[in-house]
């Protein structure tokens, strides 16, 4: 999966992505945002118990 993200980001620098590629990259970005939120929430819960 990481390789695909890297491929899309590199292509985005060099050319215009297709609509499908833009949607795919947007999906990966949304997933990254969600996982970051989950990570922060877990970290905050852990830190509050110390």
């Amino acid at each position: 999966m990481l390789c695909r993200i890297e491929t899309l980001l590199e292509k985005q620098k060099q050319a215009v992505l297709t609509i499908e590629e833009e949607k795919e990259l947007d999906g990966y970005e949304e997933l990254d945002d969600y996982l970051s939120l989950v990570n922060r929430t877990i970290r905050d819960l852990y830190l509050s118990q110390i």
Side-chain angles (χ1 to χ4, degrees), residues 3 5 9 13 15 19 27 42 47-49:
C3 185
I5 295 170
L9 290 172
K13 291 178 187 175
I19 292 172
I42 291 170
L47 292 175
S48 70
Q49 294 177 357

Side-chain angles (χ1 to χ4, degrees), residues 3-21:
C3 185
R4 179 63 178 157
I5 295 170
E6 291 171 346
T7 300
L8 290 171
L9 290 172
E10 189 60 34
K11 183 177 179 184
Q12 186 181 43
K13 291 178 187 175
Q14 299 173 2
V16 176
L17 297 178
T18 66
I19 292 172
E20 292 81 17
E21 290 169 330

Side-chain angles (χ1 to χ4, degrees), residues 13-31:
K13 291 178 187 175
Q14 299 173 2
V16 176
L17 297 178
T18 66
I19 292 172
E20 292 81 17
E21 290 169 330
E22 283 286 348
K23 288 180 182 179
E24 184 180 358
L25 189 56
D26 287 346
Y28 290 131
E29 290 172 351
E30 286 181 34
L31 179 60

Side-chain angles (χ1 to χ4, degrees), residues 29-43:
E29 290 172 351
E30 286 181 34
L31 179 60
D32 182 59
D33 290 343
Y34 176 73
L35 292 175
S36 294
L37 172 65
V38 170
N39 188 33
R40 283 190 310 272
T41 302
I42 291 170
R43 183 192 65 226

